[in-house]
Amino acid sequence: MSSDNRGLARVEVRLKWDPSPWDQPPHHLDIIAATYSAEAPYGRPVYVVHFDSRSPDGTINMSRHSQTGQGLGYVEVMSLELDRLASSFTRVVVGVAIHQNSGPKTFGDMSNAGVLVVAGYEELLKDDFAAVAGSTATTVAEFARGPSAAWEFHAMGRGFDSEPTVFTAEMGSTP
């Protein structure tokens, strides 16, 4: 957080996982962000950002995407410019989902999977999905406007048993 009480300005969510064995279908994970308005902070998202989309105003987008996990380090990156997000938004929930195209897969089936949330050089969250090993999707972070309208970070590890499309509708709901 900055010292001038504006809260978080820009954050990155980074995702990594090892590719599947050569004789298996590829593992495909995705970072997903959902925005929520002040009128319905736990209702339906105003819009959802994932691998083939970006926010209408360009404040949330994917700068790197992988469908296989191949590459060094974090192979998928989503950038969130919270300081540019319209004042009508009060929450942004970020999660990770596993595509189920080639049969059921959970985080426990992934090798070397992990997520990292950073603000500049500050590490806000680093997780290996061990707590949600039996899940096919999970929320990882919530960014919410605090009482002073500054953006705050909250770790949000909550597992789901749903495919990416269903997950986008339920990821910001009240637990």
Side-chain angles (χ1 to χ4, degrees):
M1 288 225 191
S2 65
S3 59
D4 59 5
N5 204 27
R6 288 185 303 174
L8 294 169
R10 293 186 167 109
V11 295
E12 274 190 359
V13 179
R14 303 172 185 166
L15 181 63
K16 69 175 183 166
W17 70 96
D18 284 347
S20 59
W22 68 272
D23 59 343
Q24 300 292 316
H27 301 313
H28 183 187
L29 284 70
D30 273 324
I31 302 170
I32 300 170
T35 59
Y36 298 89
S37 68
E39 291 79 36
Y42 295 92
R44 294 190 54 79
V46 176
Y47 60 81
V48 176
V49 179
H50 48 82
F51 74 94
D52 65 349
S53 68
R54 69 179 200 126
S55 63
D57 59 4
T59 57
I60 304 173
N61 63 70
M62 297 289 294
S63 57
R64 190 180 315 159
H65 175 66
S66 174
Q67 294 185 8
T68 63
Q70 292 177 320
L72 298 173
Y74 293 92
V75 295
E76 191 157 305
V77 177
M78 178 178 278
S79 302
L80 297 93
E81 296 180 60
L82 299 170
D83 59 339
R84 290 186 46 231
L85 207 57
S87 60
S88 60
F89 295 104
T90 57
R91 287 178 76 220
V92 178
V93 176
V94 178
V96 174
I98 305 168
H99 287 266
Q100 303 295 315
N101 302 352
S102 57
K105 292 180 187 148
T106 65
F107 288 104
D109 298 325
M110 302 295 128
S111 173
N112 196 32
V115 65
L116 177 67
V117 180
V118 296
Y121 294 106
E122 182 183 358
E123 186 177 291
L124 302 175
L125 172 77
K126 188 173 188 176
D127 187 52
D128 64 1
F129 303 117
V132 292
S135 300
T136 60
T138 184
T139 52
V140 294
E142 174 190 55
F143 301 96
R145 289 193 198 264
S148 68
W151 285 99
E152 301 171 351
F153 166 80
H154 306 281
M156 189 180 190
R158 181 175 158 209
F160 292 82
D161 255 347
S162 51
E163 294 193 20
T165 305
V166 175
F167 174 60
T168 61
E170 62 189 12
M171 64 190 279
S173 62
T174 306

